[in-house]
Amino acid sequence: MAQLLDGAGKLGWVLLKSVIRFVFMFFNNCVAIPSYCLYLVLLQPLRIWDSSTFWHIEGIMFKWLLAMVSSWGWIAGYTVTEWGDDVRPISEEEAMVIVNHQSTGDVCTLMMCLQDKGMGGGANHQRAKIRAVAGSKEAGSHAQRAKIQGDGLSFFHTDHFNAGEEYCSCQFVCVQVVASICCPPWGLFIRQGKAHRDKQLIYLKDHLEKYYHSRDRKWIVLFPEGGFLRKRRETSQLFAKKRSLPHLTHVTLPRIGATHVILKTLSAQQENGSVGSETGTPNQTGNKRKGLQWVIDVTIAYPKARPMDIQTWIFGYRPPTVTHVHYRMYPIKEVPVEAEALTDWLYQRFVEKEELLTHFYSTGSFPSEEGHKEAASRQMILDPVRLCIIQSFAFASGYMWYSVLWYLYCCLF
């Protein structure tokens, strides 16, 4: 009987904590998103007069939104341990980030990882943004749910991508759950099927040329597998068997389309097809861009192969959990641009991811780098003071805008 009461008490506490967290996040969204949009409406004259300053300010506010989502996991005890290469020194250089995709929590994990680097919340790096691009079977159904939720912020952040009436681009985690709409990176989903895919890859290229170049973006995040591991594994294994490709369990074979378009569009190309040092395309400040300089291979591993989904991130019902993230950097000159060679190169990266994850799930750590006896890891730590200041500013802004709008309403009516 005592055991039953103890279990009931623990369950009651988990439910109460989940309700409190959900209510907090709901109000967090209600004050943060409208405030962000209203500040940008107020700053529209600055956009016309000095667009570089406008996007600088927008970048700061957007980073604060990302920090809010990171704080939701951090206060629940969900932390990150990093392995492999240290990517912080290249946070101001342009890079394409390729990531394995297991669940909706992958994007939240990435946002937490980027908080101590330039694009997530570093004090000296205001311009770097994240872009989440995925080719996904489930994107079509998610897109309709996300259209209304994501369009407002997408309009201001200019990462919105509309690929037709049946398919829309939206903020990435927004497609998973309403409560997360405030902050994750905007997403562009490449719909399956050759007829849709080829057309949307053209839209992707146009979108990158129109917005990515001119806004001085830094990192673009890509999920090449095109869907969650649990949904794509069987299909991927059947495809691999037919083509005599490696049998993968912890990842799936990547798709090449979006990767190829991004490399061809954002890399500096010489006349002979090799990668050069500058694109010649100016950014907002008028400086020539160097183009992509790195490909960063990110491997996310969850304890006992149990992915952290967005519901867990919001309600916090899982005990404190450490997610492990492994980085490996490749200079862009080592990455082939031609489709066939790029396919082989990308397949090899995911074979390496399979080996990394197999080692992690059997030992609890990633293997050591060549020439080292033990693998070095580092705990990622968020600054609680900074998070409190950001949250306080969000709620204060929400109250201010509510008062202003209510005053205007009373004056008019």
Side-chain angles (χ1 to χ4, degrees):
M1 185 64 179
Q3 237 179 356
L4 184 62
L5 289 174
D6 185 55
K10 288 181 179 179
L11 178 61
W13 166 242
V14 169
L15 292 174
L16 177 62
K17 184 174 66 172
S18 297
V19 170
I20 293 173
R21 284 177 60 86
F22 180 81
V23 170
F24 171 76
M25 291 175 195
F26 176 79
F27 282 106
N28 202 179
N29 278 285
C30 287
V31 298
I33 299 175
S35 296
Y36 168 86
C37 294
L38 288 168
Y39 277 127
L40 293 186
V41 169
L42 188 66
L43 291 171
Q44 287 305 301
L46 178 63
R47 182 179 180 179
I48 299 171
W49 179 54
D50 186 354
S51 62
S52 62
T53 301
F54 172 85
W55 291 111
H56 177 88
I57 296 171
E58 185 275 341
I60 294 173
M61 291 193 293
F62 191 72
K63 287 193 303 181
W64 291 350
L65 293 176
L66 299 182
M68 289 180 200
V69 173
S70 300
S71 71
W72 299 348
W74 183 74
I75 60 178
Y78 304 147
T79 58
V80 171
T81 294
E82 298 178 314
W83 305 73
D85 297 334
D86 185 1
V87 299
R88 286 173 294 185
I90 65 165
S91 62
E92 272 297 288
E93 299 183 38
E94 292 189 41
M96 178 176 71
V97 183
I98 56 175
V99 193
N100 62 310
H101 203 15
Q102 301 181 61
S103 71
T104 51
D106 294 341
V107 176
C108 298
T109 298
L110 287 175
M111 284 189 291
M112 183 175 283
C113 291
L114 297 176
Q115 284 304 305
D116 67 341
K117 301 168 185 65
M119 61 294 306
N124 299 318
H125 308 287
Q126 307 296 348
R127 296 248 176 157
K129 298 290 191 295
I130 310 168
R131 211 62 83 267
V133 184
S136 177
K137 179 179 180 180
E138 58 270 18
S141 60
H142 288 330
Q144 295 303 320
R145 296 205 308 267
K147 184 172 179 61
I148 296 175
Q149 300 161 1
D151 280 359
L153 283 180
S154 298
F155 172 79
F156 291 112
H157 201 63
T158 62
D159 292 336
H160 178 71
F161 185 91
N162 193 335
E165 291 182 0
E166 296 181 357
Y167 181 81
C168 73
S169 157
C170 53
Q171 179 265 12
F172 185 80
V173 175
C174 161
V175 304
Q176 313 299 347
V177 64
V178 176
S180 68
I181 64 174
C182 80
C183 317
W186 313 117
L188 169 62
F189 297 91
I190 307 302
R191 190 175 177 184
Q192 288 185 356
K194 184 174 177 59
H196 299 289
R197 183 177 62 245
D198 291 349
K199 184 178 180 180
Q200 290 174 25
L201 288 175
I202 295 173
Y203 288 160
L204 169 61
K205 181 178 183 295
D206 293 342
H207 183 80
L208 291 174
E209 290 175 342
K210 184 176 181 180
Y211 294 116
Y212 192 91
H213 287 314
S214 64
R215 301 291 181 253
D216 197 22
R217 307 307 195 201
K218 298 299 180 183
W219 286 21
I220 180 166
V221 179
L222 173 69
F223 297 96
E225 291 167 290
F228 299 141
L229 173 64
R230 68 180 187 275
K231 294 185 177 182
R232 289 212 62 241
R233 179 158 39 202
E234 185 178 351
T235 304
S236 175
Q237 290 173 347
L238 289 172
F239 178 83
K241 186 177 181 179
K242 289 179 181 178
R243 301 295 182 90
S244 299
L245 295 169
H247 180 86
L248 305 175
T249 303
H250 304 303
V251 294
T252 63
L253 288 171
R255 291 167 175 161
I256 193 68
T259 308
H260 191 220
V261 169
I262 292 167
L263 284 173
K264 294 282 283 186
T265 306
L266 300 184
S267 298
Q269 301 288 315
Q270 303 288 0
E271 290 184 2
N272 61 5
S274 62
V275 177
S277 59
E278 288 188 348
T279 64
T281 305
N283 54 24
Q284 284 281 0
T285 60
N287 299 322
K288 284 188 176 181
R289 297 175 54 257
K290 291 184 177 180
L292 291 179
Q293 301 296 301
W294 302 89
V295 172
I296 303 174
D297 186 5
V298 176
T299 303
I300 299 176
Y302 297 95
K304 300 180 181 179
R306 291 180 58 215
M308 183 89 68
D309 57 27
I310 191 65
Q311 292 90 335
T312 305
W313 197 271
I314 290 173
F315 294 106
Y317 48 76
R318 183 184 292 191
T321 302
V322 179
T323 301
H324 297 259
V325 179
H326 184 277
Y327 303 97
R328 187 170 286 166
M329 302 188 304
Y330 297 91
I332 195 66
K333 292 184 178 181
E334 296 181 8
V335 182
V337 178
E338 295 307 316
E340 186 175 347
L342 177 60
T343 300
D344 293 339
W345 185 88
L346 197 58
Y347 280 178
Q348 185 57 39
R349 300 291 75 77
F350 275 77
V351 169
E352 291 174 1
K353 285 180 182 291
E354 176 78 12
E355 294 169 355
L356 286 171
L357 290 169
T358 299
H359 187 280
F360 177 84
Y361 293 138
S362 61
T363 65
S365 65
F366 285 110
S368 59
E369 299 296 319
E370 193 173 335
H372 295 78
K373 292 184 178 180
E374 294 183 0
S377 63
R378 50 197 175 273
Q379 186 76 21
M380 211 232 68
I381 300 174
L382 297 180
D383 182 359
V385 175
R386 176 175 173 270
L387 295 179
C388 287
I389 292 173
I390 291 172
Q391 291 285 12
S392 299
F393 179 77
F395 282 98
S397 296
Y399 178 76
M400 179 196 73
W401 285 113
Y402 171 80
S403 301
V404 169
L405 294 176
W406 180 250
Y407 175 77
L408 292 175
Y409 175 82
C410 291
C411 290
L412 292 172
F413 304 101

